[in-house]
């Protein structure tokens, strides 16, 4: 008998889906079917990058602040920006087609809370090549 | 023995020139556990050798399904087609060879921190490249016999 994928235990849990094009989408599993199509609520995509760019700001953006600092006799000032580690893009209610899914992982909330996303750097996942 | 099969993989049907329909049908008597559930309708232009090849491949799917069912509880490493390698305890497998692993950890965690907070996962069968088994988990002779039996009788 054809039984669907055993995802019943994951319904209403937070899951992390890795798609065939290497995206990582986190959300709450609401439903699934035999072809592993899934419905994900409150989903957001986590975009990983390896950039540790340090951007030194030009004077334009901070002219007001610079003038204040000059008034306070601060002669030289450098504005440094660090690129955010992991971006989280809010998506909402999503249906993901089963063909496009690689891995469905049960996200452990405790472990996830301990993750420091702003300091995480990683190469993006590769796409699936058949 | 009548095998009623359907392959819902488009590349397969294109290569072998078979028209397929993904309808689950009958299970043959006395074989409740792992019946293939598919329907196979060769069109007029399909030739005999591709039919035989298709049947053989379907038979092997059943063989590996039963083989993996025996391996439940063993520690395996699954390498996926996107080069991600996941190690874990085999929890279950289904007819599509989708794999459920428990107690998972990614092999190269520094390179792939994407699954740091995931401990149990479901891996779709279509993305598996390799399943690395414990060396004492493979009874080569048994597999040989089973293969020979399947290829002969079916």
């Amino acid at each position: 008998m054809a039984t669907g994928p055993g995802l019943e235990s994951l319904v209403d849990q937070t899951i992390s889906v890795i798609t065939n094009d290497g995206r990582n989408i986190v959300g709450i599993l609401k439903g699934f079917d035999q072809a592993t199509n899934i419905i994900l609520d409150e989903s957001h995509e986590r975009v990983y990058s390896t950039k540790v760019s340090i951007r030194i700001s030009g004077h334009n953006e901070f002219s007001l602040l610079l003038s204040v600092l000059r008034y306070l006799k601060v002669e030289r000032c450098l504005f440094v920006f660090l690129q955010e580690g992991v971006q989280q893009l809010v998506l909402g209610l999503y249906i993901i087609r089963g063909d496009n899914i690689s891995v469905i992982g049960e996200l452990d909330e405790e472990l996830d809370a301990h993750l420091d996303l702003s300091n995480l750097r990683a190469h993006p996942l590769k796409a699936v090549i058949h | 023995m009548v095998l009623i099969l359907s392959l819902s993989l488009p590349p397969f049907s294109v290569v072998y020139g078979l028209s397929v329909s993904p309808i689950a049908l009958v299970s043959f008597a006395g074989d409740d556990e792992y019946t293939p559930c598919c329907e196979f309708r060769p069109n007029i232009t399909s030739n005999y050798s591709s039919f035989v090849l298709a049947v053989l491949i379907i038979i092997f799917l059943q063989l590996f399904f039963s083989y993996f069912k025996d391996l439940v509880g063993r520690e395996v490493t699954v390498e996926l087609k996107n080069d991600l390698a996941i190690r874990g305890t085999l929890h279950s497998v289904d007819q599509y060879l989708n794999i459920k692993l428990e107690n998972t950890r990614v092999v190269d965690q520094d390179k792939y921190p994407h699954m740091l907070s995931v401990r149990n996962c479901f891996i779709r069968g279509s993305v598996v490249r390799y399943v690395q088994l414990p060396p004492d988990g493979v009874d080569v002779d048994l597999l040989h016999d089973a293969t020979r039996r399947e290829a002969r009788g079916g």
Side-chain angles (χ1 to χ4, degrees), chain A residues 45-108:
Chain A
E45 179 184 342
R46 290 191 182 167
V47 185
Y48 295 81
S49 82
T50 47
K51 292 207 189 86
V52 188
S53 63
I54 295 174
R55 183 162 69 92
I56 297 169
S57 126
H59 297 291
N60 319 324
E61 298 152 83
F62 294 92
S63 48
L64 186 59
L65 186 57
L66 278 173
S67 55
V68 168
L69 289 170
R70 222 173 287 122
Y71 175 73
L72 298 169
K73 304 287 194 295
V74 175
E75 290 189 341
R76 265 176 273 269
C77 192
L78 201 65
F79 292 101
V80 171
F81 294 87
L82 289 174
Q83 180 85 356
E84 193 189 294
V86 179
Q87 284 179 27
Q88 304 217 65
L89 311 168
V90 176
L91 303 170
L93 181 61
Y94 255 36
I95 293 180
I96 305 180
R97 198 174 150 86
D99 297 353
N100 210 265
I101 293 173
S102 294
V103 180
I104 299 177
E106 182 184 351
L107 205 75
D108 192 334

Side-chain angles (χ1 to χ4, degrees), chain B residues 49-63:
Chain B
S49 56
S50 52
F51 169 74
V52 167
L53 191 58
V55 169
L56 277 176
I57 290 175
I58 304 312
I59 290 169
F60 280 120
L61 284 177
Q62 286 303 85
L63 193 155

